[in-house]
Amino acid sequence: MQETLHTEMDKTFIDTLSEKNLVWFVDALYGMIIADNRIDSHEVSYLRGVISRLSNKDEAERLVAMLKSRRKVKLEYAGHIDRSEAFQIILLLADVAFSDGKLTQSEADYLKYAGNRLGYDSVFCREMLMWMQKTKQEELKLKKQYKRLVTLSNSSKDESKVGARTVVEVKQNDLVESNLFSNEERYIESSNNSLYGKYVQCRVCDYPDVPFWILHKKTMRTQVNIFGVTVYSNPVAGKDFCDYNLLQVAVCPKCYFASDHLSDFKSSDNAASSFPVEAFNEIWNNDLAARQTIVSASKEEFFSEKRSLEDAIRSYDLAIMTCQKLNQLKNKNQYLQDIINFQMIQAELQMQMGKRKEADANLEKAMKATESIFTYLNGESIIHAANLLCCLKLYFKDYTGAGEYMGFLKSYTEGKEFDTSNPEYKALKVATMRVDAAYADRERYACDKLQSYYLN
């Protein structure tokens, strides 16, 4: 147990965490350890080792006291943590959960809870659990095969011959059993060492070779523009640069279904559909010609890792058309929020191309769409929407409109009682501080003052 934890818990990564994020991680690690109501001595030893990295000794003493009492802790909302760091934290927590070779329901529930606190939705958390379960099962198979190999090798008089034969047998069995190179899980090599791809199947037309590109964790440094859109700025040492905004939308080469959600496609990890396929199919082909026109204007690299800025914008056009169709079937707010997100990213890419008119037009569309669903939102979603609308109103110099949403945020707690550790309360505090700072500096946020979507 201890060896597994020390091998998987990347000490280098832990040492790169800020003090605030390290405190959050230690709280989450503690929660995972007590989730199954059974504390292993090696888990405690490792937790104490991580606690020792905290510079704030009061925090360390608090956690030690919690460990003695086994008191549960509520995790603060941590959606602000860099996505690469957040993903690595989820992997580490999952590793602890699976360290004894099995996963209890309470551990699975806690992993989903921690993922939500990191800003991941339930679909991602479910996929992560399925992936980890499959991975651990494959690891156990490999260990069994390895032990069999060692046994056969040690019992043979001619170790080199028996060993060589057994290695071939083991590798062949592993390829069949783990399914890593079957049609269900086929990976795509990339010339960019920050990126990899996998072929997935379109749920709509069953096309089997849809390339889905995935950014390796901890490879890119990111920043956000004044509207909160993530922008990939530069790589970490030893990694190639990848503007993942250009590649995150996967497009089916046959029917042009487009999405940035892996769960919207069929793969070995995603057997169940995330939307009603048959009902969607009935309305999907109505505007096939329009989608063909978009793709026909693109370059050959459209479906490759070399997708250009212009073609990336087209991929978001297709993703928006997909969401518009899905929006006709169910959960309108969900898909409208996806459309708004796509429009905001498109605007950033268009501005990078020097197409300010088109970029600002997309911002206006996103602003109107957000206003149209604003009253249907709640919790953190409505707080984030108010934050976005304030920034958009300030950009377009609609100070009265910005003031209305600022007022909404300021009066949000009226008649409500919030625990200061409540994620909704935390999101509100962050949003209020951001819009207050933006309003105080509103002249610099104005569209006629900015050359890009960053403060000059």
Side-chain angles (χ1 to χ4, degrees):
M1 172 69 175
Q2 187 176 16
E3 180 181 353
T4 301
L5 281 176
H6 278 283
T7 299
E8 299 299 332
M9 292 286 192
D10 185 347
K11 294 179 181 179
T12 302
F13 167 72
I14 294 173
D15 289 338
T16 64
L17 292 173
S18 67
E19 181 72 9
K20 179 181 179 181
N21 292 349
L22 180 58
V23 169
W24 192 98
F25 171 63
V26 174
D27 277 345
L29 178 61
Y30 160 80
M32 180 57 75
I33 288 174
I34 68 168
D36 60 355
N37 295 316
R38 184 175 60 85
I39 300 179
D40 187 285
S41 60
H42 295 309
E43 291 177 333
V44 174
S45 175
Y46 187 76
L47 178 61
R48 288 181 184 276
V50 180
I51 289 175
S52 68
R53 286 175 160 80
L54 292 171
S55 59
N56 186 333
K57 298 309 176 185
D58 291 338
E59 281 291 336
E61 291 176 4
R62 176 182 69 86
L63 286 160
V64 170
M66 287 170 50
L67 185 61
K68 291 179 179 178
S69 65
R70 297 194 182 186
R71 179 167 55 87
K72 293 185 178 181
V73 61
K74 290 184 178 180
L75 297 177
E76 295 183 356
Y77 180 73
H80 62 278
I81 294 179
D82 180 85
R83 290 298 84 192
S84 61
E85 286 190 355
F87 187 73
Q88 180 68 11
I89 287 173
I90 280 289
L91 287 178
L92 296 180
L93 293 176
D95 229 29
V96 173
F98 282 98
S99 60
D100 59 356
K102 58 183 179 181
L103 181 73
T104 65
Q105 185 59 52
S106 58
E107 287 173 323
D109 291 341
Y110 184 84
L111 191 60
K112 292 177 184 176
Y113 165 69
N116 288 330
R117 295 299 86 208
L118 282 167
Y120 291 113
D121 59 25
S122 299
V123 173
F124 172 86
C125 296
R126 184 173 65 252
E127 289 177 358
M128 171 62 72
L129 279 170
M130 292 172 61
W131 176 76
M132 286 297 295
Q133 286 175 315
K134 179 181 178 183
T135 301
K136 292 302 177 182
Q137 289 170 357
E138 290 169 356
E139 287 179 2
L140 289 173
K141 289 178 182 178
L142 288 172
K143 288 179 181 178
K144 289 178 181 178
Q145 293 282 7
Y146 177 74
K147 288 179 180 178
R148 184 162 63 87
L149 168 62
V150 172
T151 301
L152 289 173
S153 178
N154 290 338
S155 63
S156 171
K157 293 181 180 180
D158 186 354
E159 293 185 2
S160 61
K161 291 182 180 179
V162 175
R165 175 180 58 79
T166 310
V167 167
V168 172
E169 290 176 355
V170 169
K171 287 187 176 180
Q172 288 176 339
N173 288 335
D174 289 342
L175 291 181
V176 173
E177 292 179 4
S178 69
N179 218 17
L180 289 176
F181 296 96
S182 70
N183 288 332
E184 292 185 8
E185 198 82 328
R186 291 171 298 135
Y187 288 91
I188 312 170
E189 284 192 30
S190 171
S191 60
N192 187 316
N193 65 10
S194 298
L195 189 71
Y196 71 100
K198 60 187 294 186
Y199 286 115
V200 293
Q201 184 175 348
C202 179
R203 295 190 188 276
V204 182
C205 70
D206 293 325
Y207 186 83
D209 297 324
V210 181
F212 195 102
W213 298 101
I214 303 166
L215 187 68
H216 282 297
K217 60 183 181 294
K218 294 177 62 179
T219 57
M220 291 296 117
R221 293 187 177 90
T222 61
Q223 58 181 319
V224 294
N225 66 18
I226 60 173
F227 307 114
V229 174
T230 298
V231 177
Y232 300 86
S233 51
N234 57 289
V236 301
K239 295 298 180 180
D240 299 328
F241 175 71
C242 175
D243 185 350
Y244 192 56
N245 280 335
L246 307 185
L247 300 173
Q248 63 182 325
V249 172
V251 181
C252 172
K254 183 178 179 181
C255 73
Y256 313 121
F257 178 91
S259 175
D260 63 340
H261 299 304
L262 183 60
S263 59
D264 285 340
F265 297 92
K266 187 185 297 184
S267 69
S268 59
D269 297 325
N270 301 301
S273 176
S274 57
F275 60 93
V277 176
E278 291 185 7
F280 181 80
N281 236 326
E282 293 179 4
I283 61 175
W284 180 233
N285 288 325
N286 294 341
D287 53 2
L288 177 62
R291 298 196 299 275
Q292 287 175 330
T293 299
I294 292 173
V295 176
S296 63
S298 64
K299 299 177 181 177
E300 292 181 3
E301 294 82 7
F302 182 80
F303 296 101
S304 77
E305 62 184 291
K306 303 296 184 182
R307 185 182 286 170
S308 66
L309 261 173
E310 191 171 10
D311 281 347
I313 292 171
R314 293 191 177 99
S315 74
Y316 287 105
D317 282 334
L318 293 169
I320 289 171
M321 295 174 76
T322 300
C323 285
Q324 288 171 338
K325 292 294 185 181
L326 288 169
N327 190 51
Q328 297 178 28
L329 300 178
K330 67 166 191 174
N331 203 342
K332 294 185 177 182
N333 287 347
Q334 172 192 333
Y335 293 112
L336 284 176
Q337 288 180 78
D338 283 344
I339 290 172
I340 292 165
N341 180 54
F342 292 145
Q343 289 169 334
M344 295 300 297
I345 297 174
Q346 264 192 328
E348 169 63 31
L349 299 181
Q350 288 165 332
M351 188 64 112
Q352 291 178 22
M353 291 184 66
K355 296 183 176 182
R356 182 171 200 136
K357 182 178 179 181
E358 293 87 342
D360 283 357
N362 250 330
L363 293 185
E364 290 182 334
K365 290 178 183 177
M367 183 169 61
K368 291 178 180 177
T370 306
E371 287 178 316
S372 72
I373 63 172
F374 186 79
T375 56
Y376 299 99
L377 303 176
N378 54 57
E380 293 173 64
S381 293
I382 198 168
I383 292 170
H384 294 316
N387 186 359
L388 174 61
L389 286 169
C390 280
C391 293
L392 287 168
K393 296 288 185 181
L394 290 177
Y395 177 78
F396 288 114
K397 302 173 69 172
D398 179 3
Y399 301 124
T400 300
E404 291 177 359
Y405 290 104
M406 289 179 67
F408 169 83
L409 290 173
K410 291 184 183 300
S411 62
Y412 190 80
T413 57
E414 291 181 3
K416 301 178 182 178
E417 292 185 6
F418 283 103
D419 184 334
T420 55
S421 64
N422 186 296
E424 187 177 353
Y425 179 82
K426 293 292 185 181
L428 177 65
K429 284 296 183 183
V430 171
T432 302
M433 286 190 294
R434 286 178 176 173
V435 299
D436 283 348
Y439 189 81
D441 206 14
R442 57 188 175 279
E443 289 188 3
R444 295 178 63 204
Y445 277 78
C447 56
D448 56 357
K449 300 292 185 181
L450 292 172
Q451 300 303 313
S452 66
Y453 292 146
Y454 302 87
L455 295 182
N456 296 329

